[in-house]
Amino acid sequence: MPATNRLRLFPLNAVLFPGAVLNLHIFEPRYKQMVTECLQRGEPFGVCLIREGDEAGDPDVMPYEIGTTAEIGDVTPLENWRYYISSVGGRRFKVERIVAREPFLTVDVSYLPEDEPEDATAIDGLLLEIRDVFRDYLRLLVEFSGMHADVDLPEDPVDASFLIGDALQVADSMKQRLLELSSTEQRLTVELGFLRRLLPQLRSLLERKRESPQSQKSAAPGGAFRTNQEKFFGKHFSMN
């Protein structure tokens, strides 16, 4: 049995990767208490994608087993003891057991090591290949979404694999799959496959956008154009 650590858990409809920024509006009483305790004790909380249940007000929510710690950075107090918080993904963990569900989920976890690549030459070549493809993907994504993205892929392959996983506009279940992979080489290989499939789809969407009437280009989320985005990229079309 691996050594375990206790974490307060925040189940979300989102996947947090190590190194990624997660901004949250904390308004439920149980999570206000959780954040307060974390701040008082200088401890992170855990984030897991929800497998079953609702994000808000569901005491029986079931999270996936693999998640990431969130280190709280900036905190902006609001009225009625609410918070805006900015946190950064830390270490991946596996939920070994649920200790309590009230006032919030508390779990025992074991932290997951990141493997060291056996063939440095192979992974360097993979990183070089994915760097060019990822650059093209970001360029098209910026043109499509109108959002600014200034992303430098880290030299470290582990960090690069997590950054790409965070930036990919795919369904949360796919992001969860990437988070769960223990091999950096395998994660980069899967991401390269995602990117190669997404690039022609994104180019097609861009062509349709250029040909669409202006009213459709500026349609609010939830319209027909948003539906086309979700068809290819899942529900969360943003730069996270």
Side-chain angles (χ1 to χ4, degrees):
M1 181 73 179
T4 59
N5 297 265
R6 191 151 294 182
L7 276 179
R8 303 166 187 84
L9 192 66
F10 202 146
L12 292 170
N13 289 317
V15 176
L16 178 63
F17 287 90
V21 175
L22 176 67
N23 298 315
L24 293 170
H25 175 204
I26 308 297
F27 59 89
E28 280 193 78
R30 56 180 170 170
Y31 294 127
K32 289 192 287 186
Q33 178 180 341
M34 185 187 76
V35 169
T36 298
E37 290 182 8
C38 288
L39 290 171
Q40 288 175 343
R41 301 178 188 183
E43 297 174 349
F45 58 91
V47 172
C48 284
L49 178 67
I50 293 173
R51 185 192 297 270
E52 297 177 7
D54 297 321
E55 193 170 74
D58 186 353
D60 298 319
V61 65
M62 288 299 299
Y64 280 84
E65 288 185 346
I66 306 300
T68 305
T69 59
E71 303 282 348
I72 300 175
D74 295 332
V75 179
T76 304
L78 304 170
E79 294 180 351
N80 300 320
W81 299 99
R82 294 175 296 123
Y83 299 98
Y84 280 137
I85 67 170
S86 180
S87 60
V88 177
R91 302 173 65 185
R92 293 184 308 140
F93 60 80
K94 178 183 178 182
V95 176
E96 299 293 346
R97 69 187 186 102
I98 295 176
V99 177
R101 287 189 170 273
E102 297 294 341
F104 42 75
L105 274 175
T106 305
V107 294
D108 281 343
V109 305
S110 56
Y111 290 109
L112 302 178
E114 191 62 42
D115 72 321
E116 293 294 331
E118 296 181 3
D119 188 343
T121 302
I123 203 165
D124 286 346
L126 180 59
L127 190 57
L128 182 63
E129 184 176 6
I130 202 172
R131 189 180 299 276
D132 291 336
V133 178
F134 184 61
R135 186 183 299 114
D136 288 342
Y137 175 71
L138 282 183
R139 177 180 55 80
L140 292 172
L141 189 63
V142 166
E143 183 179 351
F144 182 83
S145 66
M147 296 181 297
H148 175 71
D150 185 13
V151 180
D152 291 325
L153 204 58
E155 294 295 330
D156 180 82
V158 177
D159 293 343
S161 73
F162 288 137
L163 186 148
I164 293 170
D166 181 57
L168 278 173
Q169 303 306 298
V170 296
D172 289 329
S173 59
M174 297 179 184
K175 286 178 176 276
Q176 181 67 26
R177 175 187 170 193
L178 292 171
L179 182 71
E180 292 179 359
L181 292 173
S182 60
S183 164
T184 301
E185 186 173 354
Q186 188 178 6
R187 188 179 303 114
L188 287 170
T189 300
V190 173
E191 289 168 345
L192 183 57
F194 279 161
L195 287 166
R196 284 173 170 165
R197 291 192 296 272
L198 288 169
L199 278 174
Q201 296 169 355
L202 187 51
R203 289 190 183 101
S204 176
L205 287 175
L206 273 169
E207 288 300 317
R208 293 162 60 186
K209 181 179 181 181
R210 295 186 187 110
E211 296 168 359
S212 298
Q214 188 62 38
S215 59
Q216 188 174 357
K217 290 182 182 180
S218 58
F225 201 64
R226 175 71 179 195
T227 301
N228 289 332
Q229 295 176 18
E230 292 181 2
K231 177 180 178 182
F232 295 111
F233 300 109
K235 291 194 288 186
H236 302 290
F237 196 89
S238 70
M239 290 303 291
N240 294 333

